[in-house]
Amino acid sequence: MRLIQKYCTNVVKIVLLTTLIFSINACSKDDSETTSLQNEAYWKISSTVSYAEGSSAIIITGKPNTAWSAEITEGSAWCSFSSKDFVNSASKVGTVKEGLNVLYVYYKANTGAEQRPAKISFQFEGGAAQTFDLNQLSQVQQNLPAFTTWVEIPERKENANYQYVTHYATLSNKKIRNYSICFDKTRKAALWVAYPIHSAYLGSGGRTDAWAFDPIISSIYQANCVDRSYNGAYDRGHQIPSADRLATTEFNSQTFYMSNMTPQLNRLNQDMWAKLEAKVRQNNCSDTLYVVTGAYFNSVATTTDGAGNSVSIPTNYFKVLLRTKSGSTGKAIKDCSDSELISIGFWVDHQSYGNIEPPRSICTSVAEIESKTGFKFFPQISNAVKQQNNPTQWGIN
C-alpha cells in the first residue's frame, strides 16, 4: 500500500494525466481488498469459566475503523467490562484497530451452589447483533460426562484422584459436547480423553495455539506449559488432536487446555503418532466415529513442566475406535447388531518409531487394552465386538 501511495504522489507531482488515472485505479483496487475484510468476534478460549474470579476475552477482527458496541444484558451484577468497576461498566463502544483487538469480560467469584449465566450482546456498526453466552461454574460443580448416554464414554471408575469433565462448545447456535476426560490429579494428565469424530467437528478452520489451563480443573493439578513446553525432548502432546476440532475457534481452543496434554517425545508426536491421528480422521463417517485416546503410566519416570514442576512421563499411549461398518446406517450404536459394528485398538510404546505410517504391530483389540488399563470402553457394545482386530478394515497395511 505504501509503495502504491508513493507512486500516486510522484504521478501527481509530474502531472501526467494518463499515468495518474492508472495510479488511481491501482489505489482503488487496493482499497477494495481492504473492504473485503470480514468483521468477526469470537471467544478467545471458551464460554465456560471456573468459579474463581478472572477474565475472559472476546477477539474482534475486521475492517479498521469499523465501530462496534457491546452490552452485558444478563449477569451485570457479577460481570463487567472493567476490572475496577462492576457498577457502571456494563456497556462499551470502540472501533476496530490495526492488529489485535480484545474485549475483556471480567467476572467475580461465584460463591453460590449453582452455575450462573451471563449474556453479552455485541454488534458491529451496520451489522446484526450477536449474543455471547458466558457460563460460570460453582465451586462444587463439574461438567460431568454422560456416562450412560454417550457411546464414547468409558465406564466410570471411582478414584479420589480422578476428576471427570466434559467440555462443550457452540456450533450452529447449539451447545454440543467437545470431549470428555478422566483426569488424574497425581499424574497431572488425563488417563483417557473420549470424543466423537464427525465432519461437523472437523471443519476447515485453523490451529489456535491457545495454550491455557483447563478452567474446570484447579490449576495446581495441571502441568504448567502455557508459555513453554516440557523440559527435554518432549512436546506438549495433545490427546484429542487440534486437527480433529477445526470447526470453530472455541472447539479448537479447548484442545489446547493443559488437561489434554502429556509430555510426549517430539519424534513420536510429530512422526508416527501424527500419522496415526490422520489415519483415525480418515475413518470418520456419517454415523460418527467414536474414539478414546489415553496415556498409560507404568514407571516413575518424570520430567519438568515449563515452570519447573515435576510431571510423570507416560510409558504408553493408546487409542480405541468404534463405528458402524458401513458408516451410513443412520442407526444409534445401541440399535446395531454385532455384525454391523467394527472396532480396533492401538497400543503405542512411548518411543520413536521413525517417520513411518502406523505399523500393524501397534494394532490390537479393544478388549486387550481394557485388560492393560483396567478401564471398560464402549460399554454399550458386546465383548465379541471388542475382540476384533482387523487392521485392514481401518486402512492399516
Side-chain angles (χ1 to χ4, degrees), residues 38-343:
Q38 291 187 346
N39 295 326
E40 185 180 10
Y42 54 88
W43 285 118
K44 179 182 179 182
I45 297 178
S46 177
S47 57
T48 300
V49 298
S50 73
Y51 71 91
E53 69 175 75
S55 66
S56 198
I58 295 174
I59 304 298
I60 303 168
T61 63
K63 182 184 176 182
N65 300 318
T66 302
W68 57 263
S69 61
E71 181 181 4
I72 300 171
T73 58
E74 182 180 339
S76 58
W78 57 277
C79 279
S80 172
F81 293 127
S82 169
S83 61
K84 299 178 180 179
D85 186 357
F86 278 79
V87 178
N88 302 305
S89 298
S91 61
K92 191 167 185 177
V93 296
T95 57
V96 179
K97 297 178 174 60
E98 295 283 357
L100 183 65
N101 294 259
V102 183
L103 173 62
Y104 287 101
V105 182
Y106 299 91
Y107 45 84
K108 297 179 180 179
N110 184 2
T111 58
E114 302 291 336
Q115 81 173 45
R116 56 188 182 183
K119 292 185 180 296
I120 297 97
S121 177
F122 184 92
Q123 187 172 16
F124 288 103
E125 183 179 29
Q130 63 183 112
T131 299
F132 287 88
D133 293 303
L134 181 68
N135 298 295
Q136 187 181 36
L137 303 177
S138 68
Q139 187 169 3
V140 297
Q141 186 182 23
Q142 299 177 30
N143 277 1
L144 292 174
F147 283 99
T148 60
T149 305
W150 297 335
V151 176
E152 73 272 13
I153 304 297
E155 278 193 357
R156 181 173 183 139
K157 193 174 181 180
E158 294 298 333
N159 187 308
N161 294 316
Y162 294 175
Q163 183 172 347
Y164 295 97
V165 172
T166 292
H167 290 293
Y168 298 85
T170 302
L171 185 65
S172 300
N173 296 317
K174 184 178 180 181
K175 187 177 181 180
I176 63 174
R177 71 190 187 272
N178 192 352
Y179 63 90
S180 303
I181 65 174
C182 172
F183 187 81
D184 187 339
K185 298 174 184 177
T186 65
R187 301 289 190 185
K188 295 187 175 182
L191 299 182
W192 55 252
V193 180
Y195 48 99
I197 295 183
H198 188 274
S199 59
Y201 287 97
L202 297 176
S204 58
R207 177 184 170 106
T208 62
D209 285 309
W211 308 101
F213 288 114
D214 189 319
I216 301 178
I217 299 171
S218 174
S219 60
I220 66 173
Y221 298 121
Q222 300 179 59
N224 186 350
C225 290
V226 174
D227 296 319
R228 53 167 293 182
S229 190
Y230 302 91
N231 187 47
Y234 297 102
D235 286 348
R236 291 172 284 194
H238 288 62
Q239 294 206 56
I240 175 174
S242 163
D244 285 3
R245 292 295 187 264
L246 297 177
T248 69
T249 298
E250 184 179 11
F251 271 117
N252 188 262
S253 294
Q254 290 178 357
T255 70
F256 286 88
Y257 287 158
M258 293 298 102
S259 58
N260 186 42
M261 302 299 143
T262 65
Q264 189 172 45
L265 285 171
N266 50 24
R267 291 278 55 89
L268 173 62
N269 180 47
Q270 299 173 38
D271 295 336
M272 192 278 284
W273 183 258
K275 286 179 166 51
L276 176 60
E277 291 174 333
K279 185 69 70 174
V280 171
R281 279 191 293 278
Q282 291 169 10
N283 281 278
N284 86 86
C285 61
S286 60
D287 279 344
T288 303
L289 169 66
Y290 299 97
V291 183
V292 185
T293 299
Y296 183 72
F297 299 83
N298 194 30
S299 78
V300 295
T302 63
T303 185
T304 53
D305 64 17
N309 306 305
S310 179
V311 290
S312 299
I313 301 173
T315 52
N316 300 88
Y317 291 94
F318 65 85
K319 290 181 180 289
V320 290
L321 279 58
L322 172 69
R323 52 163 281 182
T324 58
K325 187 180 298 183
S326 71
S328 57
T329 65
K331 296 162 65 174
I333 291 293
K334 62 183 177 58
D335 297 326
C336 292
S337 64
D338 286 0
S339 63
E340 293 177 292
L341 301 174
I342 56 174
S343 74

